[in-house]
Amino acid sequence: MALKATVYKAELDVADLDRSHYGSHSLTIARHPSETEQRLMLRLLAFALFADDDLAFGGGISSDDEPDLWLRSPSGEILHWIELGLPDERRLRRAAGRARAVTVLAYGQRAIEVWWRREASAVAQLAATSVLAFSDAELSDLAALATRAMKLQCTVQEGRIYLGEGARTVELAPVWLRRA
């Protein structure tokens, strides 16, 4: 019998001072059986970083044709393709060909360095592609916030991210490897 996804619910308040975006979002997130809580929370964080009323979770880990998140216009055009992990050049080129902008949220600290040495020149050729890297320690702290029912506040200011629930707050300072 196949394992089923675990459903998480999140009430997310976002105050992104860098983008002047403020909003409250009610989210339902399905955690694939092979997905870690770190990756689940990184998807939630990606939503907070690029929050928009039309931003939606894609098939991600269970789909080769969809990103982890995407922003689509009412006409169906893909405005922003958001990918988690360390995608290969072929996937990045396909994403860049389908979307106006592509952002990779890279994780897996040791693997990021090897991946970036291999993919940096290819990414540089993709005009609207950005890469943001997260440390293992940050993702570990982020995973500690995961519960099946979350009420989170996210503040983004000067590149720093503060995500918390009640008295627990995680501070993240991801590094832009490339910013389009």
Side-chain angles (χ1 to χ4, degrees):
M1 179 192 309
L3 296 173
K4 293 184 179 182
T6 304
V7 176
Y8 288 71
K9 300 257 185 194
E11 294 297 324
L12 178 64
D13 292 325
V14 178
D16 188 335
L17 286 77
D18 293 351
R19 292 189 314 134
S20 296
H21 174 87
Y22 308 91
S24 294
H25 306 275
S26 294
L27 305 172
T28 300
I29 311 162
R31 179 178 158 210
H32 190 275
S34 66
E35 184 176 37
T36 65
E37 281 191 335
Q38 288 181 338
R39 190 176 190 289
L40 171 92
M41 292 303 290
L42 185 57
R43 283 196 296 138
L44 181 68
L45 183 64
F47 188 96
L49 290 175
F50 302 104
D52 185 282
D53 290 337
D54 295 322
L55 185 64
F57 293 100
I61 204 166
S62 60
S63 172
D64 288 337
D65 255 4
E66 293 181 9
D68 291 288
L69 292 98
W70 52 6
L71 177 63
R72 294 165 61 167
S73 71
S75 66
E77 178 186 13
I78 302 171
L79 304 174
H80 197 172
W81 179 291
I82 303 165
E83 190 81 29
L84 274 60
L86 306 171
D88 63 20
E89 179 183 352
R90 194 175 118 258
R91 184 162 176 88
L92 288 173
R93 287 196 183 284
R94 187 174 60 217
R98 294 179 62 192
R100 283 191 193 171
V102 176
T103 302
V104 175
L105 277 64
Y107 67 95
Q109 203 163 337
R110 287 183 185 164
I112 289 173
E113 294 174 26
V114 173
W115 173 82
W116 188 239
R117 278 195 302 269
R118 187 181 67 235
E119 303 294 343
S121 62
V123 171
Q125 295 173 17
L126 304 172
T129 302
S130 301
V131 178
L132 186 60
F134 290 84
S135 74
D136 292 344
E138 288 175 325
L139 292 184
S140 189
D141 291 345
L142 193 60
L145 294 174
T147 62
R148 298 277 304 274
M150 298 176 269
K151 291 184 188 230
L152 300 167
Q153 300 79 40
C154 181
T155 303
V156 180
Q157 184 175 14
E158 296 177 3
R160 290 198 151 336
I161 306 160
Y162 304 89
L163 185 69
E165 181 171 36
R168 297 183 309 164
T169 300
V170 173
E171 180 179 349
L172 301 104
V175 175
W176 286 100
L177 299 179
R178 180 169 193 266
R179 194 170 199 166

